[in-house]
Amino acid sequence: MSERDWICCGRPVTVVDTPGLFDTSLSNEEIQQEMMRCIELLAPGPHVFLLVIAVGPFTKEERETLQLIKMTFGQKAETYTMEAERAFRLMQMNREKEEELRQEIEAVKATYESEIKEIKDKLEEEKAKGKIREFLLVERGITMLRQRRENHRH
């Protein structure tokens, strides 16, 4: 039995590696006693049992292991038992959803970036128009001043 503390999604998680449930050198009673010692480390109790088995059909030993878990923790324990293969599928689904969300975020970001660019371009265009107007007004003023000078000379 070994215990290890991890942080998962910002929450502390304690993982307890139980005795080898497929260990044929131990009796079911010995395995149950060892498992109960493991559970003491998990007060107020485990939230999930992760059963790591090879991919393929259930063997007799694996079925017996599930029965042993039920005997030790009650009939509802099966509800909280997750096979590693199932956990892998769930992780795959989470990765797919994460990828979908990332793509959605990128699409929204791209939309807003293009809108922001349009607004900036319009702003630059308005600034340019303002400068042209300003230039035209200055040029007009200079022209008027020149005309006045010409009129005063004559």
Side-chain angles (χ1 to χ4, degrees):
M1 154 180 75
S2 66
E3 176 185 6
R4 189 174 212 174
D5 291 319
W6 296 15
I7 300 293
C8 181
C9 299
R11 297 180 66 180
V13 176
T14 301
V15 177
V16 177
D17 185 9
T18 61
L21 297 177
F22 304 112
D23 185 351
T24 54
S25 67
L26 298 173
S27 69
N28 281 355
E29 293 77 26
E30 290 171 314
I31 291 173
Q32 277 182 309
Q33 287 174 355
E34 191 62 26
M35 285 178 70
M36 292 310 288
R37 277 188 240 137
C38 291
I39 297 312
E40 289 171 8
L41 297 171
L42 297 173
H47 291 84
V48 68
F49 299 97
L50 180 60
L51 180 61
V52 180
I53 56 175
V55 176
F58 253 25
T59 65
K60 178 184 173 214
E61 290 83 8
E62 291 164 346
R63 272 190 236 103
E64 288 174 357
T65 298
L66 283 174
Q67 289 304 318
L68 184 59
I69 290 172
K70 285 184 201 175
M71 284 173 32
T72 306
F73 300 105
Q75 291 298 316
K76 287 189 175 183
E78 185 174 6
T79 307
Y80 300 99
T81 301
M82 180 182 290
E83 296 162 35
E85 181 182 343
R86 183 169 160 224
F88 177 74
R89 284 183 192 130
L90 290 174
M91 287 183 344
Q92 286 295 104
M93 285 171 45
N94 284 344
R95 283 190 193 121
E96 287 168 12
K97 285 183 181 181
E98 187 178 300
E99 179 61 22
E100 285 174 19
L101 285 173
R102 190 190 64 70
Q103 288 176 358
E104 283 180 41
I105 289 169
E106 291 298 318
V108 168
K109 197 174 167 185
T111 299
Y112 283 118
E113 283 175 353
S114 68
E115 285 180 19
I116 289 169
K117 186 181 181 324
E118 281 180 36
I119 292 169
K120 283 182 177 178
D121 289 348
K122 284 181 183 177
L123 182 61
E124 290 298 318
E125 188 179 312
E126 289 301 315
K127 280 183 185 177
K129 284 180 184 177
K131 287 180 181 176
I132 289 172
R133 278 190 214 117
E134 193 177 305
F135 175 75
L136 290 173
L137 285 173
V138 169
E139 188 179 50
R140 188 174 182 191
I142 292 171
T143 304
M144 289 172 65
L145 284 172
R146 284 184 183 157
Q147 284 176 354
R148 281 188 191 162
R149 281 188 198 158
E150 289 292 320
N151 290 340
H152 285 301
R153 287 186 188 169
H154 295 286

